[in-house]
Amino acid sequence: MTAVVIDGKAFAARVRGQVAAHVARLREEHGLQPGLAVVLVGEDPASQVYVRNKGTQTAEAGMASFEHRLPADTSEADLLALIARLNASPAVHGILVQLPLPKHLDSDLVINSIDPAKDVDGFHISNVGLLGTGQKSMVPCTPLGCLMMLRDHHGSIAGMNAVVVGRSNIVGKPMAQLLLGDSCTVTIAHSRTRDLAAVCRGADILVAAVGRPEMIPGDWVKPGATVVDVGINRVERDGKMRLVGDVDYAGCAAVAGAITPVPGGVGPMTIACLLANTLTACCRAKGLPEPEGLTA
Ligand code: GUN
């Protein structure tokens, strides 16, 4: 079997188009403009690229983009004071603090100082608890993007066996909650899982989010399964730097029914979902109907 390639780039463009159309309606009908504030502390090169892309795509969707770049030695008090200002600002509906933060800053404390209603990353402990109990919450962007692609490809995923490899707070755990919310039978596997190969072979939906280049070979995939590759790993091949996922793409694509490529799969969906979350946060703040198809 040769897998259907799930085109995340095209899907993300569609999501951004839906967001932009809804934003335009908010402006015409209610005189409202959703606003996203992104806070970057320090000069991590990868983070700078992400933040630039976020700013560009936010503006392209017709939303207000506020960028706060702070020096690497910013004190916790100064960062908390900025977040308090953003929490109080009526022009800001979403706040994202780019991670990782410099080591002297307590990430949990900082994230939990964001107003949960503006926490478009879905990392605040309140949102984690709401998602875990099946209540309305802000949902982390990367797992939300994966869920949207799975729903689009399958229609319903109810009753399917889903295996999530990776147990991070940002991807693995919320991904498992979302799959459970859509009535999958969910296993969270990780580096200490016994016979990981056999566990993966039981998956109708296999989500790889471990951060280890090409760790999952084709013979761990059930024939016809859907493989969602969250990994983005930079590796050197034949003297060139390349991006590869957490699965061996060629090996898995030969067995799977559908697969997300790297690049061009899950990656582009993350910022698209950030825009969707900012729009959702704005609608909730104003008591307006939420955008359809853009939430969990
Ligand atoms: N760093 C890498 N990915 C992310 C993300 O999704 N959110 C935040 N806040 N920081 C990140």
Side-chain angles (χ1 to χ4, degrees), residues 86 118 141 149 219 242 279:
L86 298 173
K118 297 189 177 187
C141 302
M149 289 196 286
D219 67 355
R242 294 196 185 283
L279 171 60

Side-chain angles (χ1 to χ4, degrees), residues 8 12 15-16 50 54 57 96 120-121 139-146 149 170-171 230 232 265-277:
V15 170
R16 289 198 305 272
Y50 282 136
K54 282 168 190 164
Q57 294 188 27
L96 179 144
V120 282
D121 258 329
V139 175
C141 302
T142 300
L144 178 58
C146 295
M149 289 196 286
I170 292 181
V171 181
V230 181
I232 301 178
V266 174
M269 288 299 289
T270 298
I271 298 184
C273 287
L274 175 67
L275 304 182
N277 277 352

Side-chain angles (χ1 to χ4, degrees), residues 131-132 139 142-151 154-166 171-189 203-209 226 228 230 296:
L131 177 61
V139 175
T142 300
L144 178 58
C146 295
L147 182 74
M148 283 184 186
M149 289 196 286
L150 286 167
R151 283 177 176 169
H154 287 282
S156 170
I157 55 174
M160 295 175 89
N161 283 330
V163 174
V164 180
V165 189
V171 181
K173 286 182 209 162
M175 185 77 249
Q177 296 288 3
L178 289 173
L179 292 164
L180 193 58
D182 270 27
S183 301
C184 289
T185 303
V186 181
T187 304
I188 304 178
D204 303 310
I205 294 170
L206 181 60
V207 181
T226 298
V228 177
V230 181

